[in-house]
Amino acid sequence: MVFNYDASDPLAVVTAPPPNELPQDKAAREEREAEAQRISDQIDEEISADKAALREKEQTVKILLLGQSESGKSTTLKNFRMRFARDKWAQERASWRTVIQLNLVRYVNTIFEALQQEINDENEEDPILLADKHHLLKARLRPLRGVEQDLKRLLGAKPDEVDTPPRTSPRGSPRASSEFFVRSWNWRDFLQASRNGDSSRLSPRHDVSSHHVTEVIAGCKDDIKALWEDNVIQEMLRRRRVRLEDSASFFLAASERLTARDYEPTDDDIVRARLRTLDIQEHELSVDDDGERQKWKIYDVGGSRTQRNAWLPYFDQVNAIIFLAPISCFDERLQEDPRVNRLEDSFILWKAICSSKLLSRTTLIIFLNKIDLLEKKIESGIMVNRYLPSYADRPNETTSVVKYLRQKFKDTLSCIFPRADIMNTDCSGPKNTRTTAQTLLSVRDGILREHLKKANLV
């Protein structure tokens, strides 16, 4: 066979086979060309994959949830997931039962410790008058102290993380035990392993039966209800200034339902459940934008002072920051540093965020959070200007306080970036899943609008 080519075409000359090519040389040449083509195709595929990943990264909306500890970040994240990641939320529902049981038992044990201290102080001047029924309640609820440790083990606690002494108030009564924490990336896996009896993942000290725990809690149902509804106990808690967490009254009032053997968590239960996590929580959401699905990555990076150093790496290429400011805490102090007012700490954090040059093009959204708790405090007679002198003689009313603090947060940003703007969102309480739905839709629309604007698409 004679190979003909046009000598005027330089490419034809270059690609032409050598003259008088032997069959074995031709086979070797074709093998080399095939290998070169394979490598070229592989490089093209990797380039295409990198381009697709870059496009996906550019199209993915990255959101940070920031705020101090107990500001409502985890609750807000749950609401986002419940609204925009419904299938995965439903898959995880059963795992929250153990967390809710732990919440309920911790609250009961905090009251138990206060009752124990009251009994020890009965000889003091003007003690609360306890009856025989209170001593009986103390005896009948004692098994819950062991149940709390068992529940912690079910969630993956190590033996040295289980036995935590209660914290005490100035009068010596408990306020809240040092808060139990988990690693957010594995507590559900550990709990599932416990249920499946996967001994390879459990140490002997962790071999706890969730069925046994549920039986003990169910057996204490009537006593838990009697403890919470007792007027003498309520007076004791007020006098000893025992501080229970925000959700305590909800769970204790619903104890009859929560202690049932066939109890299944509701959305409202899960949103209120508290489980402290020490590492970063990252969740992907699929958000509907005019019929198209857009991927959001939302991060809860922790709010305690020891965790704030981890924030900076997440500022890179973030599209939006949702800052949680719990304005009901005007009369509270930081747990990490009792010298610092919690509301003051929120303003310090907000100013630091606004001052970061990395966030100069980031959409800032502020949730004025826990307005429902603010209203309860004002209704109880607490004067805001006692703790916030700058509030002066303005009306001691919820609406006025919210308006004043909203403007203060906005002024903080305006002093740093005069032409900047923020999306203000009042959240009476993100634990109310129904009233929060419209808020989340407004936030979604605002973030998408700003995302398109910065991509020069609108």
Side-chain angles (χ1 to χ4, degrees):
M1 178 178 179
V2 179
F3 183 83
N4 296 314
Y5 62 91
D6 184 358
S8 64
D9 183 351
L11 291 180
V13 173
V14 173
T15 58
N20 304 319
E21 183 179 38
L22 297 175
Q24 60 269 28
D25 294 334
K26 179 181 179 182
R29 175 177 58 78
E30 290 178 344
E31 184 176 349
R32 290 194 301 273
E33 290 175 351
E35 177 63 14
Q37 185 62 48
R38 185 191 67 79
I39 293 174
S40 176
D41 292 343
Q42 182 178 347
I43 292 173
D44 289 342
E45 289 177 2
E46 291 175 354
I47 292 174
S48 296
D50 289 343
K51 287 182 177 178
L54 182 60
R55 283 195 302 270
E56 182 179 355
K57 184 177 180 181
E58 290 174 344
Q59 294 171 358
T60 298
V61 177
K62 181 179 176 182
I63 303 170
L64 299 187
L65 291 174
L66 300 182
Q68 63 186 209
S69 181
E70 295 187 55
S71 60
K73 296 186 302 300
S74 296
T75 302
T76 301
L77 176 58
K78 290 175 191 174
N79 274 301
F80 269 108
R81 296 187 63 226
M82 184 168 50
R83 180 64 179 80
F84 300 117
R86 193 68 195 177
D87 291 344
K88 194 164 185 179
W89 176 263
Q91 293 172 6
E92 297 175 359
R93 183 183 300 279
S95 63
W96 283 97
R97 176 177 177 172
T98 301
V99 178
I100 293 167
Q101 288 177 327
L102 176 60
N103 279 213
L104 176 64
V105 170
R106 283 187 71 237
Y107 302 145
V108 173
N109 284 339
T110 299
I111 300 173
F112 179 93
E113 295 295 339
L115 179 59
Q116 177 64 55
Q117 191 64 45
E118 187 69 30
I119 291 173
N120 294 340
D121 295 344
E122 278 188 320
N123 294 327
E124 289 188 359
E125 183 179 353
D126 194 26
I128 295 290
L129 295 178
L130 298 176
D132 290 343
K133 66 176 182 179
H134 298 117
H135 293 269
L136 181 60
L137 279 175
K138 184 177 78 71
R140 293 173 64 90
L141 291 172
R142 187 178 295 277
L144 292 183
R145 302 182 74 176
V147 166
E148 180 176 349
Q149 319 310 324
D150 290 343
L151 287 166
K152 291 176 181 179
R153 293 187 181 99
L154 284 172
L155 292 168
K158 298 177 182 178
D160 58 351
E161 297 172 343
V162 170
D163 299 314
T164 307
R167 299 183 62 203
T168 58
S169 71
R171 286 191 62 190
S173 59
R175 295 180 64 187
S177 59
S178 297
E179 192 170 8
F180 170 68
F181 63 84
V182 296
R183 298 289 178 184
S184 64
W185 54 270
N186 74 345
W187 70 268
R188 293 184 184 87
D189 293 339
F190 196 98
L191 183 59
Q192 188 61 43
S194 300
R195 288 173 175 168
N196 295 340
D198 185 356
S199 58
S200 65
R201 301 187 60 180
L202 304 175
S203 72
R205 288 289 302 274
H206 287 76
D207 190 11
V208 180
S209 167
S210 59
H211 173 74
H212 171 72
V213 166
T214 299
E215 285 297 317
V216 175
I217 294 174
C220 294
K221 177 180 66 174
D222 295 336
D223 295 313
I224 293 174
K225 182 179 180 182
L227 181 76
W228 180 243
E229 294 180 351
D230 190 283
N231 293 331
V232 173
I233 297 295
Q234 292 294 331
E235 176 61 22
M236 178 198 70
L237 295 176
R238 283 192 292 270
R239 287 187 52 180
R240 288 187 170 271
R241 300 189 297 278
V242 177
R243 180 175 175 253
L244 297 173
E245 293 167 8
D246 296 342
S247 296
S249 59
F250 173 85
F251 283 128
L252 288 165
S255 62
E256 192 168 4
R257 175 173 61 86
L258 271 54
T259 54
R261 291 176 174 83
D262 59 351
Y263 163 66
E264 294 183 4
T266 66
D267 286 343
D268 282 344
D269 295 341
I270 298 172
V271 166
R272 287 172 167 82
R274 178 165 176 81
L275 182 64
R276 186 184 176 197
T277 54
L278 289 190
D279 50 358
I280 308 301
Q281 293 191 69
E282 174 185 341
H283 292 279
E284 287 191 2
L285 309 178
S286 181
V287 179
D288 188 2
D289 178 23
D290 291 334
E292 296 184 5
R293 308 302 295 181
Q294 186 178 43
K295 183 188 292 184
W296 283 18
K297 282 192 175 180
I298 188 165
Y299 301 85
D300 176 1
V301 294
S304 68
R305 287 193 160 187
T306 57
Q307 293 175 287
R308 294 173 191 176
N309 291 333
W311 290 8
L312 190 59
Y314 289 86
F315 285 1
D316 184 38
Q317 295 183 337
V318 64
N319 300 102
I321 284 179
I322 299 177
F323 183 80
L324 279 295
I327 60 175
S328 64
C329 63
F330 64 90
D331 60 341
E332 300 173 17
R333 299 278 172 172
L334 285 181
Q335 183 174 333
E336 310 97 298
D337 187 353
R339 298 170 300 175
V340 180
N341 180 280
R342 286 190 62 197
L343 184 59
E344 176 189 0
D345 183 63
S346 274
F347 273 102
I348 293 171
L349 280 178
W350 175 245
K351 185 175 181 179
I353 290 168
C354 296
S355 302
S356 174
K357 293 182 179 179
L358 290 174
L359 303 176
S360 59
R361 290 178 53 81
T362 301
T363 301
L364 299 180
I365 302 165
I366 186 165
F367 275 13
L368 300 185
N369 194 22
K370 302 193 178 183
I371 297 177
D372 52 343
L373 298 181
L374 170 68
E375 186 172 14
K376 289 180 180 179
K377 287 186 176 182
I378 291 176
E379 288 177 351
S380 70
I382 296 177
M383 300 300 296
V384 174
N385 59 8
R386 177 184 174 188
Y387 302 90
L388 194 64
S390 63
Y391 190 66
D393 57 354
R394 293 175 176 83
N396 201 62
E397 299 172 353
T398 303
T399 303
S400 179
V401 174
V402 171
K403 181 180 178 181
Y404 174 78
L405 293 176
R406 185 194 299 122
Q407 188 60 46
K408 284 294 183 182
F409 278 105
K410 189 171 183 178
D411 289 346
T412 301
L413 177 61
S414 299
C415 289
I416 300 169
F417 297 112
R419 287 180 292 179
D421 197 10
I422 60 175
M423 185 189 303
N424 280 291
T425 303
D426 294 345
C427 229
S428 63
K431 294 174 183 178
N432 188 322
T433 58
R434 289 172 291 277
T435 59
T436 306
Q438 190 58 45
T439 299
L440 298 184
L441 292 176
S442 299
V443 169
R444 178 203 63 179
D445 294 343
I447 291 175
L448 291 174
R449 184 170 57 253
E450 290 300 315
H451 184 56
L452 294 175
K453 185 186 299 181
K454 289 168 184 174
N456 296 320
L457 296 177
V458 297

